[in-house]
Amino acid sequence: MSGVDTTAKLVRMINQIVRNLLHDKDPVGAVAGHVHAFWSPRMVQQLRAHGSDGLDPVAIAALERLGQDHGHAAG
Amino acid sequence: MTRTVRISNDALALACGADHVAAAFAAAGCVVERVSSWGMHWLEPLAEIAGEGFGPLTADDVAAVLAGTSALGIGAIAAHPFIARQQRFTFARAGQTRPLSLDDYAAHGGWAGLDAARRIGPDGVIGEVTRSGLRGRGGAGFPAGIKWTTVAKAPAARKYVVCNADEGDSATFADRMVMEGDPFGLIEGMAIAAHAVGAQMGYIYVRSEYPHAIATLRGALDLAAPIIAPFRIEVRVGAGSYVCGEETALLNSLEGRRGEVRAKPPLPAIEGLFGQPTVVNNVLTLAAVPWIMAHGSAAYAAVGYGRSRGTMPIQLAGNVRYGGLFEAGFGMTLGELVMEIGGGTASGRPVHAVQVGGPLGAYHTPADFHLPFDYESFAAADGLIGHAGITVFDDSADMSAQARFAMQFCAVESCGKCTPCRIGSTRGVEVIDRIRARSGRGADPVESLPQMHNARKGGRSLAEDITLLEDLCETMKFGSLCALGGFTPYPVLSALRNFPQDFGLPAAAAAE
Amino acid sequence: MGYEPQADFGTPAVTAQTRVSLLIDGRAISVPTGTTVMRAAALAGGSIPKLCATDTLKQFGSCRLCLVEIDGMRGTPASCTTLASEGMVVHTQTSRLEKLRRGVMELYISDHPLDCLTCSANNDCELQDTAAQVGLRDVRYGYQGDNHLGAAPDQSNPYFDFDPSKCIVCSRCVRACDEVQGTFALTIAGRGFESKVSAGVASDDFFSSECVSCGACVAACPTATLNEKAVTAIGKPERAVITTCAYCGVGCTFRAEMRGEQVVRMVPWKDGKANRGHSCVKGRFAWGYARHQDRITTPMIRNAITEPWREVSWDEAISFAASEFKRIAAQHGNNALGGIVSSRCTNEEGFLVQKLVRAGFGTNNVDTCARVCHSPTGYGLKNTFGTSAGTQDFDSVEACDVMLVIGANPTDGHPVFASRMKRRLRQGAKLIVIDPRRTDIVRSPHIEADYHLALRPGTNVAVLTALAHVIVTEGLVDEAFVRDRCDQDEFRDWAEFVADARHSPEFLAPVIGVAAQDLRGAARLFATGGNGAIYYGLGVTEHSQGSSTVMAIANLAMATGNIGRRGVGVNPLRGQNNVQGACDMGSFPHELSGYRHVSDPAARALFEAEWGVPIDPEPGLRIPNMLDAATDGLFKGIYIQGEDILQSDPDTRHVAAGLAAMECVIVQDLFLNETANYAHVFLPGSTFLEKSGTFTNAERRIQMVRKVMEPLNGFEDWQVTQALARAMGLDWNYTHAREIMDEIARLTPTFAGVSFARLDAEGSLQWPVNAAFPDGAPIMHVDGFVRGKGKFVVTDYVPTDERTGPRYPLLLTTGRILSQYNVGAQTRRTENARWHLEDVLEIHPSDAENRGLRDGDWVRLASRAGETTLRAQITDRVAPGVVYTTFHHPTTQANVVTTDNSDWATNCPEYKVTAVQVTPSNGPSQWQLDYDAQSDAARRITATAAE
């Protein structure tokens, strides 16, 4: 079975991360930091290419903030 | 005026028909009080009317007793020589109180010991018990004060007092008489012990063969609960194994485990019931304590012989004319006890052997009648006083059969833990059987095989079997884990040494 | 090492502050107070005859051979039960003692078979040795007396026989079962001469009894009464090698007792610090797979998975694999390749695989099976404490007063450590179990949990928050600990969060499915009961909030001050033998060895200097991401060493699709596993018996794995990886695993002091081993947390997306069973299969009744991911609404049913919660049929070409 929509999966993953980091003082920063530390760039690119459809606002903001940073500072 | 008649409801009296006698007195319009037994077994059922005794009675004798025409009168009971020669501390109330009457108990000095104990505090109690010289009456004779001190000093949140009432020795009944006749005395003793060592809970481990004692104790515990509170006592019924009278096997049994002996150390005083510091004492030890507390250690210690202080409730049984319970200070000779108190054999034949200390005690001949009844004297004579049961045999007894019985008893009752007892007792029966058959043995089929190159082919003589039996007894005596296997050699070797002719040996071989 | 039994000092060692000096046969010796005379004599170099005593068991005093004479003491006390005291003068050899001992031995032999030369224990029998020692020359009783020589043997156990005719009733087996294993399966039945060892009740044999086949009784038996069947078949071993078990994360040390190249038996080594001489049915007996006929020893390749395999030479297989990977890299880029490090292989092998991926493939696409088990542990404990590992050594359990076991089934999953837990529980420690299922530790002989919180699957965080609520609102926080050791602001935020009324037990009870008073009681007990230790397993991590749960556990430990000393701590029970090691070795796509992020320039620089290649600073793909990328056509080649992702990973159909989409799958394994059905290259693997290296267990203990026999396939696994690396152009020249460890030590600060030489000398080391901890660290965070201040993390309960509903009204949770291991690749190929022939579905009687199911019926188990069929077992171990199964058998494929839900932080799959429906069935599902057909086709092997 190859009908897996991997982009939908990424949307689900980042929204799940958001829900679990909502209590952080800076949820956007926390989500951005987490994705930065654990996701391969290709996954981030795939999600960016998908756009904001279905994304939690915090996730959208986090992806934006990720884009602003150059490279990656260690988590 | 209606007359009050006292008749024992002790199990022995009941077995002799006390209930029928009591019913007959009641039918005749008397007030019948069921009391404890005086301990003169040959007189049961014994009725007491205004201090005068009549027995042994049947229902048919009642009319004559009431009419004053009975020939069974023994006069004032207290003045009967069997009673008068005694020094009754533990059994001071015997025959005189109704077992479950708190009033009777209090009227005869009950609770005075506990009151005193509470007054002087735990340390004071232990001091008194230590100074009294009281030793464990179960057989080992270990000083009670030292045991209590160990438990008192052991740091633990929970401690226990366990009463060993698994009275399994042949010819013994003193524990039973205490429990049936004076249960509050035992309860008071346990409460004092608990007070002294800081125990919250007590257990009385009673052999299942004592249904009357169990019922009486349960009734007494209900009545006494407020008096001994917050200390609590439960009765636990044994599972029918002789070895559960050994204290560590008893603890295993109480915990619901296999009734198997534990190696010591750890001593039960340090790690006993459920791993907690535990006083394990025999019924007679605990029942002696209230008297000591009420009358003082000096009064108790003033009686006795050598290092055996105080009194011992001696039990006379077997082929003896006057069987019963005889409490006296240590030191009377065996001869006095058997011949004067016991009156020799019931059969009238000569006394041949006397076994002292239950089934594991040595068989003595009248040559030992000079021995004072105390722990050390009997130990020095390769014997033991044990729980102070004395069984008398006349000259019709075959002592090799008695030796076989000892080994058989050990084999049947062995818990199976240690090798000398587990295998040795079975081999012992086999060897004694060969000796009794005077057969010796030839090489057996296995030994005869050519493959059994190292085995001796020539068979064994009777003398070699005797040596083997002696060696086995040495292995059991010094190798066994507990007294069951360790003491079985006493009856076997004493029978062999004192009655060689019963083993096919010349009488001359008696003394080595 | 030659073959000689490990020294036996008769009674266990004691630790004491003080010592006593005594004289034994004129020899002065000083021993710790509390030492027995027997042990003192043994320490002094003497040897008192004994049969019932052995230093793994408490003294018992039954054989009566060890009698001695002591000045001033009456009689002949048994030296095993007599404690040495100051100034004691002991005589162990006098003519009196000689006679007594001979007398006892004469009794033994009067009831024992005489044909020693043909006995399986000949020359390895304590009875025989002791008879010789005491000089028995004659059995005067003869041999015609009552005896037990006709007693029938019990051969029901697949691994050992019980021959009661040889039994001396020393009770060592019974005591081992009680004291060491804690199962209480054995007893002495009857009394006196009739006493005999009995398994279970009268109608039982060993196999039908409660016996768990741990082998403790066999190890304890001084005669051939309980003896390994293999010894009977093969004979006495001739040499022994100390090595480490390759099953679970406990890491038991064994003596592999060998005859030539043949293992005769594996005997637990008393000096093993993880197992302390104990073992379980897997490590002790289930090693037969190593020589199983299914083992593949010749490399195989094929161009497409629809083709049969072709056996080829190693050179051809390696060059085929290398050229395929080089082609893929050239066509699709480095990131189209990846690798999976095995948690079953050694640290050295794992390190090489990730090195090959990073340095050879040029990508960080490396992952390990910790992804699907304990990745949340790494994440959670690193976040809160600063180290991705458990805080304690196993010995610490001996000082524990309250155990909180959550999401772990230690008696099945970690049986040897479970026995140590049970021993402590029998000593009086309290027990709280949080598990939807009534696991065996909840109630077992002499143990009963004070609280069993049978929560609804998926509510771990809610439970831990409710417990924290009680601790905070009832003033049970260890204020001093928190003040000194933890970040105050974070603590205040957390305390405020958990204290909210919405987190009270009363409020959460309906969610959790546990009464509020039980939650309160458990919280109070844990906070006030003394040393509190938390033990957890995959029931914590394999959830959508696995990482949150780990952090909630850390919060709880910190709030109650239960960190940094013996008897406390956070103790993840690691699943696989080297899952800790695999993680330590840099097997995650975002980390280099020692848990340093790939974005850390200093860490990268170290590796770049040593390896001479650049390291990608960006994280690579995790296993599920690799599979996703494969279905998207972006990931083409994978090198999988020692893992069967098709069977072990969730949502089997998706795994299969991902693998099928790849162009080159290299599988290195012992057997043609399920994943190999989708492979193009099969490289034969070697077992732990055939290689050198190290494993790191759940307590961070690095232990030696020693080669006891030559690899059947010709190479240790690291050699195969090296060959592949060389074929891909890397100039690797390791000649022994120790050189790999030297490289690990150079590149990994926490391993700086580790070397094979030290491990050989010291037995084991617990990392970190470096300048700060020169001898390693049995307990971590003693003087302060590795990260500085302990970090409280707010863990909000977020219910899983996996909900029950009309279509899927039940919750499935999965686990494992004692006799089987993981996907069963090894254990199914041993006699262990007899205990667990198939996976079954546990279902509560009421759920079964609603569906018209009877015990043993075939049922269809369906989720939104897929369906399978298996047999139902009706039991109240599970609550109504919950069903349970294991995943040991490929024919069941429980993971067809599990979903692609995963932990938010690590993507660890949510194996423990799947909404399912159970219905009666009369045969296998279509997937099972299709899979069987595919599997049969994919396993075809054509005739071999000449070498």
Side-chain angles (χ1 to χ4, degrees):
Chain A
M1 182 175 118
S2 53
V4 176
D5 182 344
T6 56
T7 307
K9 216 186 226 181
L10 290 173
V11 170
R12 191 147 53 93
M13 278 166 62
I14 196 165
N15 286 342
Q16 195 188 357
I17 292 168
V18 169
R19 273 186 289 159
N20 278 280
L21 291 175
L22 272 183
H23 281 271
D24 199 278
K25 285 205 164 65
D26 172 18
V28 172
V31 174
H34 185 89
V35 169
H36 166 79
F38 297 107
W39 285 29
S40 89
R42 193 157 70 190
M43 292 159 69
V44 180
Q45 285 156 18
Q46 189 179 349
L47 201 52
R48 283 225 181 85
H50 156 79
S52 58
D53 196 20
L55 286 186
D56 188 290
V58 173
I60 296 167
L63 285 176
E64 271 170 24
R65 191 180 294 186
L66 258 182
Q68 286 158 13
D69 294 340
H70 276 304
H72 289 93
Chain B
M1 184 181 169
T2 50
R3 282 195 282 182
T4 298
V5 180
R6 295 172 147 190
I7 298 171
S8 173
N9 61 356
D10 171 287
L12 182 130
L14 296 179
C16 296
D19 280 350
H20 299 297
V21 178
F25 277 114
C30 299
V31 172
V32 178
E33 284 184 355
R34 300 306 293 268
V35 293
S36 52
S37 167
W38 283 94
M40 295 183 285
H41 288 166
W42 75 98
L43 292 175
E44 293 289 4
L46 174 70
E48 179 193 336
I49 302 171
E52 300 285 314
F54 302 89
L57 298 180
T58 66
D60 297 341
D61 298 322
V62 166
V65 169
L66 292 176
T69 59
S70 173
L72 296 171
I74 61 165
I77 295 176
H80 189 281
F82 191 86
I83 301 295
R85 282 196 70 171
Q86 295 193 44
Q87 199 159 15
R88 285 194 158 179
F89 293 175
T90 300
F91 282 87
R93 284 175 288 272
Q96 299 166 64
T97 57
R98 289 165 293 184
L100 290 179
S101 166
L102 278 172
D103 292 341
D104 287 7
Y105 186 64
H108 286 78
W111 308 119
L114 182 58
D115 291 344
R118 286 174 172 161
R119 236 177 4 254
I120 64 174
D123 291 348
V125 174
I126 291 177
E128 278 292 275
V129 171
T130 304
R131 284 188 294 276
S132 77
L134 177 65
R135 295 166 68 173
R137 298 290 187 245
F142 189 81
I146 292 177
K147 189 182 278 187
W148 291 18
T149 304
T150 307
V151 176
K153 284 187 178 161
R158 283 180 296 139
K159 295 179 185 179
Y160 298 97
V161 173
V162 171
C163 171
N164 182 349
D166 192 45
E167 185 174 46
D169 282 358
S170 48
T172 60
F173 41 79
D175 292 354
R176 178 184 59 73
M177 288 185 63
V178 168
M179 293 185 285
E180 290 181 356
D182 197 21
F184 297 124
L186 174 59
I187 292 166
E188 184 179 354
M190 288 179 73
I192 293 168
H195 176 68
V197 303
Q200 301 84 11
M201 188 71 210
Y203 293 94
I204 306 173
Y205 185 92
V206 191
R207 66 192 308 223
S208 59
E209 294 87 343
Y210 280 176
H212 301 92
I214 292 162
T216 306
L217 282 172
R218 288 196 167 133
L221 284 170
D222 285 346
L223 295 168
I227 300 168
I228 62 169
F231 181 57
R232 292 187 303 124
I233 299 176
E234 279 181 21
V235 174
R236 290 292 170 87
V237 180
S241 165
Y242 178 77
V243 83
C244 286
E246 194 284 332
E247 62 177 353
T248 60
L250 184 154
L251 293 175
N252 273 341
S253 179
L254 262 185
E255 291 179 10
R257 298 169 192 267
R258 173 180 165 80
E260 183 176 272
V261 177
R262 299 178 188 170
K264 292 185 278 195
L267 295 170
I270 307 282
E271 276 181 48
L273 189 62
F274 302 113
Q276 305 303 314
T278 303
V279 169
V280 185
N281 275 142
N282 177 256
V283 171
L284 296 181
T285 317
L286 290 163
V289 170
W291 194 96
I292 295 168
M293 294 312 301
H295 299 86
S297 57
Y300 192 79
V303 178
Y305 180 93
R307 286 173 49 213
S308 307
R309 307 314 307 171
T311 61
M312 186 74 199
I314 295 157
Q315 300 127 84
L316 295 167
N319 191 349
V320 67
R321 191 165 175 200
Y322 302 125
L325 184 114
F326 189 86
E327 182 177 355
F330 287 98
M332 288 178 76
T333 66
L334 181 60
E336 285 177 293
L337 289 166
V338 172
M339 302 309 295
E340 294 180 22
I341 308 299
T345 62
S347 61
R349 297 174 68 92
V351 172
H352 187 60
V354 178
Q355 188 177 30
V356 180
L360 308 181
Y363 287 104
H364 298 268
T365 64
D368 285 341
F369 277 181
H370 65 285
L371 286 176
F373 203 80
D374 97 308
Y375 293 103
E376 279 68 30
S377 303
F378 269 69
D382 269 346
L384 50 99
I385 64 171
H387 193 51
I390 295 180
T391 310
V392 181
F393 296 80
D394 71 17
D395 60 358
S396 64
D398 175 349
M399 298 312 288
S400 71
Q402 290 305 120
R404 184 189 191 281
F405 171 79
M407 279 292 185
Q408 181 71 27
F409 182 83
C410 182
V412 168
E413 298 293 353
S414 169
C415 77
K417 180 168 176 175
C418 76
T419 313
C421 175
R422 176 172 61 89
I423 305 178
S425 56
T426 292
R427 294 288 171 259
V429 172
E430 292 165 0
V431 173
I432 294 174
D433 278 346
R434 281 206 301 268
I435 291 170
R436 277 165 55 76
R438 310 285 189 266
S439 60
R441 68 174 179 88
D444 72 30
V446 174
E447 290 170 318
S448 302
L449 289 171
Q451 287 86 349
M452 295 296 288
H453 184 75
N454 300 322
R456 209 174 95 184
K457 310 293 182 192
R460 317 274 165 166
S461 66
L462 174 66
E464 282 174 314
D465 270 344
I466 297 278
T467 303
L468 177 57
L469 180 62
E470 287 169 338
D471 286 352
L472 172 62
C473 283
E474 189 181 338
T475 302
M476 291 177 71
K477 182 172 176 180
F478 293 101
S480 294
L481 180 58
C482 83
L484 177 55
F487 287 4
T488 294
Y490 281 101
V492 175
L493 288 181
S494 60
L496 181 62
R497 292 200 180 117
N498 293 333
F499 309 96
Q501 64 280 9
D502 287 359
F503 293 80
L505 297 177
E512 289 172 23
Chain C
M1 179 196 278
Y3 180 81
E4 53 189 55
Q6 225 183 326
D8 188 341
F9 295 89
T11 63
V14 293
T15 47
Q17 304 294 328
T18 55
R19 298 179 78 83
V20 294
S21 299
L22 65 162
L23 214 56
I24 301 176
D25 295 335
R27 220 185 276 193
I29 177 148
S30 161
V31 293
T33 305
T35 301
T36 63
V37 170
M38 172 179 280
R39 188 176 176 89
L43 291 169
S47 168
I48 300 175
K50 62 181 176 0
L51 282 171
C52 72
T54 184
D55 57 14
T56 54
L57 301 172
K58 277 193 290 194
Q59 46 267 52
F60 192 60
S62 78
C63 75
R64 315 312 289 174
L65 280 163
C66 72
L67 307 175
V68 294
E69 291 186 81
I70 297 174
D71 287 359
M73 244 172 159
R74 273 193 312 167
T76 50
S79 63
C80 66
T81 55
T82 304
L83 301 186
S85 65
E86 185 61 38
M88 194 179 247
V89 179
V90 181
H91 309 279
T92 74
Q93 293 185 337
T94 66
S95 57
R96 179 189 187 196
L97 294 172
E98 281 165 13
K99 188 177 178 199
L100 284 174
R101 289 173 186 157
R102 219 170 278 147
V104 172
M105 186 53 71
E106 190 177 8
L107 289 171
Y108 273 125
I109 303 306
S110 73
D111 184 21
H112 197 84
L114 299 171
D115 44 354
C116 290
L117 287 176
T118 49
C119 174
S120 63
N122 185 32
N123 211 14
D124 190 16
C125 169
E126 292 180 37
L127 182 67
Q128 194 179 40
D129 293 346
T130 311
Q133 195 180 4
V134 304
L136 181 71
R137 297 290 174 261
D138 188 11
V139 177
R140 294 168 291 170
Y141 301 104
Y143 302 101
Q144 300 300 294
D146 200 1
N147 62 62
H148 300 86
L149 302 181
D154 173 353
Q155 299 178 324
S156 61
N157 186 287
Y159 296 116
F160 59 84
D161 292 335
F162 171 63
D163 185 348
S165 67
K166 295 175 178 173
C167 180
I168 59 168
V169 201
C170 63
S171 294
R172 274 162 65 163
C173 54
V174 178
R175 289 145 62 207
C177 193
D178 295 357
E179 295 174 29
V180 178
Q181 168 56 26
T183 293
F184 295 81
L186 304 181
T187 190
I188 301 289
R191 67 189 198 199
F193 196 72
E194 302 309 316
S195 301
K196 60 170 192 260
V197 173
S198 169
V201 296
S203 58
D204 274 323
D205 56 23
F206 266 79
F207 192 74
S208 70
S209 75
E210 300 282 308
C211 167
V212 293
S213 226
C214 69
C217 57
V218 182
C221 182
T223 69
T225 306
L226 283 158
N227 211 358
E228 292 90 348
K229 282 180 157 69
V231 175
T232 307
I234 301 169
K236 186 187 165 190
E238 62 183 11
R239 65 188 173 95
V241 182
I242 306 298
T243 192
T244 305
C245 179
Y247 276 113
C248 77
V250 174
C252 297
T253 312
F254 279 92
R255 275 163 59 98
E257 299 191 350
M258 308 292 298
R259 187 153 192 88
E261 285 290 288
Q262 202 169 12
V263 178
V264 178
R265 61 183 169 193
M266 298 286 281
V267 180
W269 196 43
K270 291 190 284 192
D271 296 343
K273 293 198 177 73
N275 56 319
R276 301 284 180 196
H278 191 33
S279 59
C280 81
V281 62
K282 293 188 284 281
R284 178 82 154 92
F285 294 121
W287 36 264
Y289 68 86
R291 286 290 182 271
H292 195 276
Q293 59 183 14
D294 287 355
R295 262 199 68 186
I296 305 289
T297 54
T298 308
M300 301 187 296
I301 59 174
R302 59 184 167 192
N303 289 311
I305 61 170
T306 50
E307 291 178 5
W309 285 108
R310 204 156 50 82
E311 292 186 335
V312 295
S313 69
W314 277 100
D315 283 349
E316 187 176 350
I318 294 288
S319 64
F320 175 81
S323 70
E324 276 295 281
F325 270 36
K326 282 192 274 195
R327 175 186 65 75
I328 291 169
Q331 282 180 7
H332 304 282
N334 294 348
N335 288 328
L337 294 174
I340 296 181
V341 170
S342 176
S343 295
R344 317 302 318 280
C345 291
T346 63
N347 285 318
E348 293 73 17
E349 288 162 344
F351 186 83
L352 280 203
V353 171
Q354 64 90 35
K355 178 176 178 179
L356 172 61
V357 172
R358 294 192 209 277
F361 302 173
T363 175
N364 281 325
N365 290 340
V366 63
D367 208 353
T368 178
C369 51
R371 176 63 52 212
V372 301
C373 64
H374 267 290
S375 50
T377 293
Y379 176 88
L381 297 185
K382 173 117 182 169
N383 238 4
T384 50
F385 297 162
T387 303
S388 297
T391 63
Q392 308 297 117
D393 58 359
F394 286 145
D395 284 352
S396 174
V397 74
E398 289 162 14
C400 172
D401 300 313
V402 185
M403 285 178 213
L404 195 164
V405 179
I406 172 168
N409 180 6
T411 54
D412 283 280
H414 303 86
V416 170
F417 182 61
S419 289
R420 298 185 67 181
M421 295 171 86
K422 291 199 290 184
R423 190 196 292 230
R424 180 65 188 154
L425 289 167
R426 288 196 303 275
Q427 289 168 357
K430 304 290 185 188
L431 175 64
I432 302 165
V433 177
I434 304 178
D435 202 295
R437 196 165 157 264
R438 194 180 65 235
T439 53
D440 281 346
I441 202 161
V442 171
R443 189 175 156 82
S444 66
H446 305 287
I447 293 170
E448 181 148 28
D450 297 88
Y451 293 95
H452 173 209
L453 310 179
L455 76 176
R456 190 167 165 74
T459 62
N460 283 334
V461 171
V463 170
L464 291 165
T465 307
L467 298 180
H469 175 93
V470 176
I471 287 165
V472 168
T473 59
E474 296 190 3
L476 306 178
V477 169
D478 185 338
E479 303 280 358
F481 181 89
V482 171
R483 189 173 56 243
D484 296 347
R485 304 283 302 272
C486 305
D487 183 285
Q488 294 305 291
D489 288 343
E490 286 158 351
F491 170 71
R492 270 191 295 275
D493 290 348
W494 173 80
E496 193 180 319
F497 172 82
V498 299
D500 189 297
R502 289 178 302 117
H503 298 138
S504 70
E506 291 70 21
F507 190 88
L508 287 170
V511 174
I512 299 166
V514 171
Q517 75 222 36
D518 288 344
L519 292 165
R520 285 198 180 269
R524 289 170 190 147
L525 175 59
F526 185 72
T528 64
N531 284 342
I534 304 174
Y535 298 91
Y536 73 89
L538 305 184
V540 157
T541 54
E542 291 177 345
H543 285 278
S544 68
Q545 280 199 292
S547 293
S548 306
T549 311
V550 172
M551 293 189 290
I553 285 170
N555 292 339
L556 202 64
M558 288 189 289
T560 52
N562 280 313
I563 289 288
R565 62 179 188 277
R566 249 169 82 81
V568 301
V570 173
N571 304 268
L573 298 174
R574 295 279 185 163
Q576 310 224 49
N577 55 317
N578 198 36
V579 69
Q580 180 70 53
C583 295
D584 299 342
M585 292 300 102
S587 306
F588 285 133
H590 66 285
E591 279 174 341
L592 297 163
S593 66
Y595 304 98
R596 289 162 296 162
H597 201 273
V598 290
S599 63
D600 174 355
R604 275 205 321 279
L606 260 176
F607 285 83
E608 287 171 345
E610 174 94 20
W611 294 351
V613 292
I615 304 288
D616 186 348
E618 300 281 356
L621 294 165
R622 300 164 174 177
I623 294 171
N625 310 139
M626 292 183 208
L627 293 165
D628 288 349
T631 60
D632 285 345
L634 300 169
F635 186 89
K636 297 291 186 182
I638 191 165
Y639 170 37
I640 305 174
Q641 185 177 71
E643 186 171 356
D644 190 1
I645 58 171
L646 190 91
Q647 198 187 339
S648 66
D649 285 29
D651 197 1
T652 308
R653 294 201 288 188
H654 178 55
V655 177
L659 288 169
M662 296 183 201
E663 292 176 1
C664 183
V665 174
I666 306 171
V667 166
Q668 183 175 348
D669 210 300
L670 303 176
F671 305 105
L672 270 179
N673 62 18
E674 305 307 309
T675 305
N677 292 341
Y678 294 85
H680 307 84
V681 180
F682 187 89
L683 303 175
S686 49
T687 71
F688 77 110
L689 296 168
E690 298 162 327
K691 59 173 73 160
S692 301
T694 57
F695 291 154
T696 306
N697 77 352
E699 38 167 9
R700 295 170 280 104
R701 189 182 298 284
I702 307 158
Q703 306 190 97
M704 290 297 300
V705 177
R706 293 187 179 86
K707 187 194 271 191
V708 304
M709 56 168 77
E710 288 305 315
L712 272 189
N713 55 322
F715 298 102
E716 303 181 30
D717 284 326
W718 64 265
Q719 293 176 303
V720 174
T721 305
Q722 171 158 290
L724 187 57
R726 291 180 65 87
M728 291 197 68
L730 297 165
D731 185 24
W732 291 5
N733 293 295
Y734 303 105
T735 61
H736 190 274
R738 84 171 68 85
E739 295 163 10
I740 307 172
M741 179 53 85
D742 292 342
E743 181 172 324
I744 295 167
R746 281 197 299 278
L747 293 173
T748 316
T750 45
F751 276 64
V754 179
S755 68
F756 278 29
R758 269 196 83 178
L759 289 168
D760 277 336
E762 297 172 44
S764 66
L765 289 164
Q766 284 176 276
W767 68 256
V769 189
N770 50 29
F773 299 95
D775 296 317
I779 295 172
M780 296 197 77
H781 317 298
V782 172
D783 298 316
F785 285 101
V786 169
R787 74 183 299 280
K789 290 289 185 186
K791 180 183 175 71
F792 279 89
V793 177
V794 170
T795 55
D796 198 7
Y797 168 56
V798 178
T800 170
D801 292 336
E802 188 71 11
R803 310 268 168 86
T804 54
R807 282 187 68 196
Y808 302 114
L810 302 172
L811 285 181
L812 168 72
T813 186
T814 60
R816 54 177 155 164
I817 198 162
L818 172 67
S819 56
Q820 295 286 358
Y821 185 78
N822 204 278
V823 297
Q826 291 121 317
T827 46
R828 279 184 287 108
R829 292 182 172 93
T830 69
E831 293 288 335
N832 276 34
R834 281 182 52 190
W835 281 281
H836 188 75
L837 295 166
E838 57 188 335
D839 297 318
V840 297
L841 185 77
E842 290 186 2
I843 184 167
H844 190 271
S846 64
D847 290 326
E849 189 170 339
N850 290 341
R851 290 165 176 74
L853 299 176
R854 283 166 311 176
D855 203 51
D857 279 357
W858 279 102
V859 294
R860 173 177 164 274
L861 175 71
S863 74
R864 63 181 171 83
E867 63 179 61
T868 188
T869 53
L870 69 178
R871 285 183 196 279
Q873 182 176 69
I874 298 175
T875 171
D876 65 357
R877 260 177 189 270
V878 289
V882 177
V883 292
Y884 170 89
T885 191
T886 49
F887 57 96
H888 300 305
H889 287 271
T891 51
T892 317
Q893 294 213 345
N895 282 324
V896 172
V897 178
T898 53
T899 69
D900 64 354
N901 287 342
S902 66
D903 174 47
W904 66 270
T906 64
N907 284 142
C908 180
E910 190 184 33
Y911 288 110
K912 301 295 184 180
V913 189
T914 308
V916 294
Q917 177 58 295
V918 175
T919 50
S921 167
N922 51 14
S925 68
Q926 190 60 45
W927 163 263
Q928 284 169 301
L929 293 173
D930 293 349
Y931 183 84
D932 284 350
Q934 196 276 342
S935 176
D936 288 346
R939 284 194 161 100
R940 286 171 299 153
I941 301 174
T942 55
T944 180
E947 294 247 331

